[in-house]
Amino acid sequence: MREFGRSEEEILNELRSLWDRRIPYERVFSSMCTRPHPVAVKAFMLYIESNLGDFGIFPAVKELEDRVVEMTADMLNLNGFSGYMTSGGTEANIQALRAFRNLKGKGNFIAPESRHFSIDKAADVLGVEMRLVPLNDEYQMDVSCLEEMIDDETFGIVALLGSTELGQIDPLDEISKIASEHGIPLHVDGAFGAFVVPFLYPDFRFPEHLSSVSGDPHKMGMSVIPSGVLLFSDEEFLEALKIETPYLTTRHQYSLPGTRPGASAAATYAVMEHLGRRGYRKIVEKCMRNTRVLIELMSELEFYPAIEPKMNVVVFKTDEVDRIRKELMKRRWLISKSFRPLGMRFVIMPHVEEENLKLFVEDLKRIL
Amino acid sequence: MREFGRSEEEILNELRSLWDRRIPYERVFSSMCTRPHPVAVKAFMLYIESNLGDFGIFPAVKELEDRVVEMTADMLNLNGFSGYMTSGGTEANIQALRAFRNLKGKGNFIAPESRHFSIDKAADVLGVEMRLVPLNDEYQMDVSCLEEMIDDETFGIVALLGSTELGQIDPLDEISKIASEHGIPLHVDGAFGAFVVPFLYPDFRFPEHLSSVSGDPHKMGMSVIPSGVLLFSDEEFLEALKIETPYLTTRHQYSLPGTRPGASAAATYAVMEHLGRRGYRKIVEKCMRNTRVLIELMSELEFYPAIEPKMNVVVFKTDEVDRIRKELMKRRWLISKSFRPLGMRFVIMPHVEEENLKLFVEDLKRIL
C-alpha cells in the first residue's frame, strides 16, 4: 500500500482504461447477468450509503425491501409468501436449505443432477449430504427415481425453474406431490427463471406444496448486482434463520451477510416499478425472438437445439465445443460450454441484438 | 406487481422523499459503516455492470480484486498472505471457519464471549459447536481459560482485532502461542480493526502462527457496501473452499456468493489508492481526536469510558441506557447499547464532527 495517495483523476483514468479490456455485453452469450436498467443504476446511486443490515438508520430501505419481496411474490402468484432480499441465487439456495435443515435436523437433501453448482456449495457449507436424482431424456429431474432416494434423514428437495445449462423446468407438480406425501419441504431454484416464466407462460402456477422459491433481480430482473430474492411459504422457515443482533438498530436478522446494500433494494424496487409486467414481458419477448433467430441461423450450419428451449437459454450439441469456444474467444465472442448435453450454450439476454447474432454466426462459419 | 410501469422521474422522486426519512450519518454514533469516499462511489459507478463471479468477461475486476487483496496484506504486514474480496465480515468469518472445518473435519471452534454475532451465525450455518471463552477485566479473551476448552475436535480459534462492543483487541500473541502448540488454525476477526490498527499503532505486528485475517473496506476502509477482504496464510485454506464452476468463464470459485459485484473491487481499489497510508492515518487521527472530545464532554456529565479506548469505539457504563437511547432517538440521535458492560456505545466514524458531538451532549444533558 502506497504512503502517498494518487489523484482521483489519475485513478479513474486508470480504471477507465482497464475497463476497456472487457468483452462488451453485446458479444457475451454466456452470462445470465446483463447490463442493469438505467433506472436501477440511478436508484442504486441515491441509496449507495445505506445498509439494509442496520435499517433503523434508513427505514426506507427496509420498506423498499419489503415491497420488492411483495412484488416478487405477486409476480409469481405466491400468495402469502414472504422473505428477504439476498445477495443472489447462491445465498438463497444456502439459506433455503439451511432453514430446512435447522427445522428437520441434519441429514441429506435431494436435487436433480442438473442443479447449479451453488447447490454443491450449499451442501459443503452446511455440512450435509447432497443426493442427486438422474435426469430424464428432456434433462429434467427423473421423477421415477426420486422416491427411492428419500429416507428419514431427508430434510429437503430442490427443483429447478430454469436449469443453468438448458433453462429446463423440472416437473414441479409431480415432485411437489412426492415431497408432500413424505412431508419434506420443497425449494424451487428460480434464480434465472423467476423473472422469465411469469411473462412467457402467464398460466404457469406453482404447485401447492412448496416451501421456498428464489429469483434473481440481478439476472432477468435487470437490477444491479447484488440483488436476489428468497421467498418462503411460512414464517417458520425465516424464524429458523434468525440470529440476534445486538449493537444494531435492529433486533435480529435472517440474511447470510450482516451489512448489506440498501441500494440493491432501491435499485430493484425502481426497475420493477418502472417496467411493470408489461415492460418485463417486452424484454422476455425480445429475448425469445432472438433465441429463435439464433436457432434459425444455427440450423443453416446444421446445429440444432438439444431440447426445444423453455426460455432464453439454448444448447447446440457438438463435441467440438472446446475448440469452437477458443476460436470464438480469439474473435472476442463469449459462449459457454454445456456438459450435459455436451455442446455450445447460449443465454440470450436483453443485451443481445439480432444484428450481433448475425455477425456472430458469420464468424462461427469461418472457424468450422 | 403493476401491469403498467411508472415513469422514471416519478419513481426517483419517490425514492428521494423516502430517503429523506433517514437519520443522516452526522447524527449516527451507532454504526461501523460510514458514507463511502466519493472516489469509491465514482469507481463503483464505472464498473456497476461487472460480475466478479464471471471475470473472464471483465478481466480487470479480477486484477483489481487481486490488487486490493495484496494492498490489504501489505497494509497489515502479512507477507505472503492471499485471499479474496468478500461481501463483508460475516462472509469472511463463515468462510475462514468453513475452511478450517473442511481441513480438520467437523467438531468445534473457540471464540471469545465478545465475538460478533456473525460468529454465532457461522456456527449455525456450518452446523458446528461454538465454545465461548470468558473475558478478563479488560473485556478481552481470558487466555487462562483457553487451553482447557480445546479438545481433539477443535478445528479453529477466533480472536478479535477490535471487538464490536468496545473496539478491544484480544491478546493475540498469547492466543496464537496456545493455538500453535495445539496445531489449531487461528482466525483474527479484524472487520473493524484492520483498517484502524495499522494507522494508529504502526508497530503492531500479527503473531507468527496465524491462518486468516478479515478486514472490511466498507467499514473504516471508506469503500462502498458490500466490500470485505479475507486473507489466508496458506493456499490450502482457499483450496478447502474451492467449488468447480461449469458454464462460467472461470474454472472454480472460493467465494460464498456466485455472482458478486466487480464494482466493489473497483471502488475499494480506488479509495485505497487515493488515500494511501497517509490518507487513512489522517482519517483515523480525526476519529481518535473526536473520540477524546466525546470522552471529555461525557466526563462533564460524569460518564466515564468502561475501558481506555483502543480505537474509535467507546462505551460509557450506565444502567439507564435503554431510556437514554429512546429519548435520544426522539431527538434523532443514534447511539447503541452495549451489553457487556451495560452502557452507551459510540462508534466515532469519519462522518462524526466535533460540532455534532457538542450538540449531542447538549441534548443528552436535557434528558438526564
Side-chain angles (χ1 to χ4, degrees), chain B residues 94-361:
Chain B
I94 294 172
Q95 291 279 81
L97 289 166
R98 175 181 162 215
F100 298 173
R101 182 205 60 183
N102 284 3
L103 284 171
K104 286 256 180 184
K106 281 185 201 185
N108 65 72
F109 70 86
I110 299 174
E113 285 182 352
S114 48
R115 87 284 170 203
H116 183 257
F117 61 82
S118 59
I119 299 290
D120 303 57
K121 200 187 278 183
D124 182 65
V125 169
L126 300 173
V128 297
E129 184 196 345
M130 171 176 71
R131 296 180 174 181
L132 294 178
V133 189
L135 305 184
N136 64 23
D137 290 348
E138 289 287 297
Y139 305 98
Q140 299 169 300
M141 182 194 285
D142 184 344
V143 184
S144 70
C145 302
L146 173 58
E147 196 146 19
E148 67 204 45
M149 302 185 78
I150 296 172
D151 66 18
D152 289 348
E153 289 280 294
T154 304
F155 62 76
I157 296 173
V158 177
L160 310 183
L161 186 75
S163 66
T164 311
E165 290 211 311
L166 283 159
Q168 182 55 289
I169 300 172
D170 283 325
L172 300 181
D173 289 332
E174 296 169 64
I175 295 168
S176 169
K177 192 165 164 285
I178 294 171
S180 169
E181 281 163 12
H182 291 265
I184 298 173
L186 172 64
H187 171 63
V188 173
D189 179 350
F192 189 76
F195 280 81
V196 179
V197 168
F199 310 111
L200 199 53
Y201 307 111
D203 295 332
F204 171 85
R205 291 295 177 277
F206 281 100
E208 202 171 316
H209 175 78
L210 176 71
S211 303
S212 58
V213 176
S214 61
D216 278 2
H218 69 207
K219 294 191 172 85
M220 285 294 286
M222 310 290 291
S223 189
V224 173
I225 297 169
S227 299
V229 173
L230 174 60
L231 300 170
F232 285 115
S233 61
D234 197 293
E235 201 69 29
E236 69 168 339
F237 296 110
L238 264 182
E239 288 297 311
L241 300 174
K242 191 151 105 175
I243 295 281
E244 304 295 318
T245 56
Y247 351 108
L248 298 186
T249 55
T250 59
R251 297 248 172 105
H252 47 254
Q253 61 184 212
Y254 307 107
S255 60
L256 204 51
T259 295
R260 58 199 177 102
S264 294
T268 304
Y269 173 75
V271 65
M272 290 180 80
E273 278 285 287
H274 180 62
L275 290 173
R277 288 175 197 269
R278 186 155 296 217
Y280 280 115
R281 209 174 291 132
K282 274 190 191 160
I283 288 170
V284 169
E285 278 164 9
K286 174 191 169 182
C287 294
M288 290 310 294
R289 201 164 51 240
N290 281 329
T291 302
R292 286 188 297 268
V293 166
L294 176 67
I295 290 172
E296 182 66 30
L297 291 167
M298 292 293 276
S299 74
E300 291 165 21
L301 306 181
E302 291 182 8
F303 288 116
Y304 303 99
I307 61 164
E308 181 64 26
K310 295 295 191 308
M311 48 191 84
N312 46 328
V313 183
V314 56
V315 165
F316 301 93
K317 286 193 203 183
T318 169
D319 296 342
E320 283 210 280
V321 54
D322 288 323
R323 186 187 69 79
I324 293 172
R325 271 189 78 196
K326 227 169 168 175
E327 291 292 327
L328 286 171
M329 188 69 179
K330 282 185 205 156
R331 288 162 176 81
R332 299 186 67 70
W333 293 108
L334 271 180
I335 64 164
S336 56
K337 174 183 181 174
S338 73
F339 290 80
R340 181 124 178 239
L342 190 65
M344 297 180 272
R345 168 180 170 269
F346 296 78
V347 189
I348 303 302
M349 293 299 287
H351 59 250
V352 175
E353 301 295 341
E354 187 174 336
E355 197 45 49
N356 278 307
L357 289 173
K358 287 178 181 163
L359 292 172
F360 165 79
V361 171

